[in-house]
Amino acid sequence: MFEINLFNTAQILDQGIAIIGTYLLTSLSAKTRMYGFIAFLLMNIPSIYLLVVTELWWILAVTPVWLYLNYIGFINNYREHKALS
C-alpha cells in the first residue's frame, strides 16, 4: 500500500522535477531551456537525499561533474538568450 513518507515524497519530487526539466530542455527557446537547467539544479535536493538513504555513495562521486556540465549549459543558454534579445 502506498504511504506518504519522506522517501516516497523525495521520489515523487525527483521524478516530477526531472520530467518538467526534460520537457523544458527540449524547447527551441533559450529562455525556456534556462528554466530547464534551473529545474535540474533543484532536482539535486531530493536526489542527493535519495542517494544517501539508499547508500548509493558512488553516484555522489559524479554529482560535481553533472553540476558543472549543468552550470556550463545554463551559462551558454543565458549568453544565447542575451544575444537574441
Side-chain angles (χ1 to χ4, degrees):
M1 175 152 228
F2 182 76
E3 56 184 86
I4 301 294
N5 57 30
L6 189 57
F7 185 78
N8 288 343
T9 303
Q11 286 182 313
I12 291 167
L13 286 174
D14 182 52
Q15 293 302 307
I17 296 171
I19 290 169
I20 292 168
T22 303
Y23 175 73
L24 293 173
L25 282 176
T26 60
S27 174
L28 295 176
S29 166
K31 184 177 182 179
T32 305
R33 282 194 309 267
M34 283 194 306
Y35 292 123
F37 282 109
I38 292 170
F40 276 110
L41 286 173
L42 291 175
M43 189 181 75
N44 277 303
I45 298 167
S47 296
I48 290 174
Y49 168 76
L50 289 171
L51 292 175
V52 170
V53 168
T54 57
E55 298 180 1
L56 294 172
W57 295 100
W58 61 272
I59 296 176
L60 288 175
V62 298
T63 301
V65 174
W66 186 87
L67 285 171
Y68 173 74
L69 293 174
N70 201 9
Y71 173 75
I72 294 298
F74 180 79
I75 295 301
N76 287 338
N77 271 292
Y78 178 76
R79 289 179 182 152
E80 180 183 340
H81 174 68
K82 285 295 181 185
L84 293 175
S85 296

